[in-house]
Amino acid sequence: MAPMAITVLCVYVGSTLWSFRVSLSSSRTFPASDFVGLQQYVKLFGNDRWLISLKNAAIFGVLFISLCLILGFLLAVFLDQRIRAESIFRTIFLYPYAMSFVATGLVWQWMLNPALGIQEAVRQLGVAGFTFDWIVSQDLAIYTIVLASVWQASGLAMALLLAGLRGIDEEIWKATRIDGIPRWRVYLSIALPMIGPSIATVVVLLSVSVVKLFDAVVSMTQGGPGTATEVPAKFIMDYLFGRANIGLASAASTVMLLLVLSFLLPWAYLRQKAANKEKQR
């Protein structure tokens, strides 16, 4: 375990502390050893592009997590009916998650291209007035990122929620059948509250995906049109490599780390609290 422990301490923790130190300096192209306090953070939150990226991340996060949970739960309920060829359907639903976000983004970029994709295909079928140009609209482009990301990640939500449903005691299902409770009511009123830990795990994993969203945006829209699909991770990469401002980029990455911790720490605390209750029983 020693090599792994050294790697974690030196590479991960060390790099994180170094980035935080750089964010407190006036570093530009190269790291500086001076100390300017929170000046980089003041500049960061005075940067309109950063504020737009946070707004886009919030819109994306709410829609992405909500739709993945809803679609994933519906798919899990469908597979929980013990249908034939369940393993085949499970593989089909989960397969998109195995693809890289770059590949997913390029495929959806082509599909949503007004001159090549869905819009042109429908018009070729005779519907001349059909319009589906979200990807080139400043108001709607962010929703195309949501659409592609939900398609890719809903399979993960399905797998975790299905595992939660399969963990429910079979006697509970038998009791509901004897009492004549409708199947849909059993899932909403009984099964859904019982798979709370699975739902929490899905929310945490999807939340982390929201914070580090980068590949899909770059491959689909490059952050455009304009800054319509700008997200924090792309902001950081642009300022780190394109604009040679590692101080501001480090400040933004530190803020992102705090956002991730704000999701992970409460989840870890609740899991530990639940585990302690189980031990006491």
Side-chain angles (χ1 to χ4, degrees), residues 73-129:
F73 181 70
L74 293 176
L75 292 175
V77 170
F78 168 69
L79 292 178
D80 196 42
Q81 307 309 306
R82 312 290 180 177
I83 61 174
R84 292 183 180 180
E86 177 187 323
S87 60
I88 296 176
F89 281 104
R90 189 166 58 240
T91 302
I92 291 173
F93 296 149
L94 191 57
Y95 178 75
Y97 191 72
M99 297 175 61
S100 79
F101 274 100
V102 173
T104 297
L106 292 174
V107 170
W108 279 89
Q109 180 197 53
W110 176 82
M111 291 174 58
L112 297 171
N113 189 318
L116 301 172
I118 297 174
Q119 176 177 296
E120 182 62 20
V122 174
R123 288 184 178 183
Q124 290 292 333
L125 293 175
V127 187

Side-chain angles (χ1 to χ4, degrees), residues 158-195:
M158 176 273 297
L160 294 174
L161 295 178
L162 179 61
L165 290 175
R166 292 287 167 83
I168 298 176
D169 192 344
E170 186 62 29
E171 295 300 320
I172 295 177
W173 297 107
K174 292 180 180 179
T176 59
R177 286 195 294 268
I178 293 173
D179 292 339
I181 302 175
R183 196 74 170 178
W184 65 268
R185 185 64 181 272
V186 175
Y187 278 106
L188 290 180
S189 301
I190 299 176
L192 198 57
M194 294 185 69
I195 61 172

Side-chain angles (χ1 to χ4, degrees), residues 203-215:
V203 170
V204 169
L205 293 176
L206 295 180
S207 299
V208 173
S209 297
V210 171
V211 174
K212 66 178 186 180
L213 175 67
F214 175 77
D215 297 352

Side-chain angles (χ1 to χ4, degrees), residues 260-277:
V260 173
L261 292 177
S262 69
F263 291 115
L264 291 178
L265 292 180
W267 174 73
Y269 170 76
L270 292 175
R271 288 202 63 175
Q272 185 61 41
K273 187 176 180 180
N276 292 337
K277 286 184 178 179

